[in-house]
């Protein structure tokens, strides 16, 4: 059972550029979550998929952010026209609906630095 | 909205000793899940222990146990026989069980240092 993987692990970009992150969940998990974690804070929820459907988006997810999960497998999170305030760790988690307490398993994260 | 408060930004404990990390939360929900996650330096978030609100019995996982006080909305984590590998950020998290897609609502974390 491989865990949640994320790619890339680190990304440095210039302000105004677009970036895309990928998350591969645990293979049988049908729920997938994106969180953002800034330095010294706990993760904050961004968005959630059940299979391929995006069912909830946080108000933190501005219109510059878009997430997809085609075919209900891997997911991508794109940030357009990056700003310095987007610098953070982006965490992906997955879970199996109806499983023990809906436990979410986290990937290693993608650390984004916007210069 | 649910809020999770961890009032201890940093704590320190000696190896083999016991330490308790505090967490309080605010909710109007009657059923929910609570979690403690551990995030070692530069490593990924790992589940430590979980608790269902409708279960009165406190969860235990080896050296880790919780003191769940539903009426007080308190969910503290006790680490017994602390080990150097327990050094990490510890996050308390709340999960509402309807509508929200089971998103986790995290506290700001407690940085735990285990010293020799």
């Amino acid at each position: 059972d491989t865990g949640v993987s994320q790619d890339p692990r680190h990304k440095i970009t210039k302000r105004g550029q677009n970036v895309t992150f990928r998350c591969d969940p645990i293979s049988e998990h049908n729920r997938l979550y994106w969180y953002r974690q800034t330095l010294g804070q706990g993760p904050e929820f961004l968005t959630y998929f059940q299979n391929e459907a995006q069912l909830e988006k946080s108000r933190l997810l501005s219109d510059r952010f878009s997430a997809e999960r085609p075919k209900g497998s891997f997911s991508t999170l794109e940030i357009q026209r990056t700003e310095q305030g987007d610098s953070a760790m982006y965490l992906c988690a997955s879970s199996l609906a109806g499983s023990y307490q809906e436990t979410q398993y986290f990937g290693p994260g993608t650390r984004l630095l916007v210069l | 909205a649910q809020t999770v408060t961890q009032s201890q930004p940093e704590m320190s404990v000696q190896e083999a000793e016991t330490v308790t990390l505090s967490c309080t939360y605010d909710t109007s929900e009657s059923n929910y899940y609570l979690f403690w996650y551990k995030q070692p330096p530069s490593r990924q978030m790992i589940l430590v222990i979980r608790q269902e609100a409708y279960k009165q019995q406190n969860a235990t996982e080896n050296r880790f146990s919780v003191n769940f006080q539903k009426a007080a909305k308190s969910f503290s984590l006790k680490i017994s026989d602390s080990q150097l590998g327990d050094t990490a950020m510890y996050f308390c998290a709340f999960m509402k069980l309807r509508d929200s897609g089971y998103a986790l609502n995290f506290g700001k974390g407690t940085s735990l240092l285990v010293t020799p």
Side-chain angles (χ1 to χ4, degrees):
Chain A
D1 175 23
T2 57
V4 179
S5 61
Q6 293 186 245
D7 184 68
R9 296 290 304 276
H10 303 272
K11 179 71 177 180
I12 301 174
T13 191
K14 293 182 179 179
R15 190 176 53 186
Q17 297 294 305
N18 299 343
V19 294
T20 299
F21 310 141
R22 176 179 170 126
C23 171
D24 287 89
I26 294 172
S27 59
E28 67 269 24
H29 284 186
N30 53 357
R31 289 192 174 135
L32 187 147
Y33 303 79
W34 286 99
Y35 293 85
R36 182 176 71 186
Q37 185 178 22
T38 53
L39 206 59
Q41 302 293 319
E44 296 172 292
F45 169 72
L46 292 178
T47 190
Y48 144 73
F49 291 85
Q50 178 148 330
N51 300 312
E52 65 274 11
Q54 187 173 19
L55 296 185
E56 188 176 355
K57 293 191 283 188
S58 160
R59 57 182 168 77
L60 293 176
L61 209 69
S62 76
D63 56 6
R64 297 185 297 106
F65 287 70
S66 62
E68 295 182 341
R69 192 184 182 197
K71 302 179 183 177
S73 56
F74 70 92
S75 175
T76 58
L77 177 68
E78 181 183 16
I79 309 174
Q80 296 182 327
R81 305 180 304 281
T82 52
E83 301 173 356
Q84 288 183 328
D86 297 331
S87 295
M89 175 78 86
Y90 289 84
L91 297 171
C92 177
S94 71
S95 69
L96 179 62
S99 66
Y100 185 46
Q101 293 167 340
E102 300 284 343
T103 299
Q104 294 179 24
Y105 296 89
F106 283 81
T110 294
R111 186 172 295 282
L112 173 66
L113 178 60
V114 181
L115 301 176
Chain B
Q2 283 63 232
T3 56
V4 178
T5 303
Q6 294 181 248
S7 59
Q8 305 149 315
E10 297 179 348
M11 293 193 72
S12 179
V13 64
Q14 283 195 315
E15 209 173 357
E17 296 296 306
T18 295
V19 64
T20 298
L21 310 183
S22 67
C23 172
T24 58
Y25 56 93
D26 183 26
T27 185
S28 57
E29 302 291 321
S30 59
N31 196 21
Y32 44 86
Y33 296 150
L34 295 163
F35 301 82
W36 279 97
Y37 280 88
K38 165 185 175 181
Q39 189 174 40
S42 301
R43 295 180 60 189
Q44 69 194 77
M45 195 89 71
I46 303 165
L47 176 70
V48 175
I49 198 165
R50 53 198 158 192
Q51 175 81 41
E52 296 171 73
Y54 65 86
K55 286 189 177 179
Q56 292 191 343
Q57 185 175 5
N58 290 323
T60 300
E61 289 285 345
N62 301 313
R63 298 182 296 107
F64 298 89
S65 61
V66 298
N67 183 3
F68 173 49
Q69 301 289 329
K70 190 173 183 180
K73 296 179 183 176
S74 171
F75 183 60
S76 60
L77 174 69
K78 185 172 83 171
I79 306 174
S80 304
D81 185 27
S82 297
Q83 300 176 358
L84 296 178
D86 295 334
T87 291
M89 281 291 291
Y90 286 81
F91 292 99
C92 178
F94 174 99
M95 178 188 284
K96 191 169 68 171
L97 298 185
R98 60 175 179 81
D99 303 334
S100 67
Y102 308 95
L104 288 166
N105 189 353
F106 286 88
K108 291 188 175 182
T110 295
S111 178
L112 177 67
L113 176 65
V114 180
T115 58

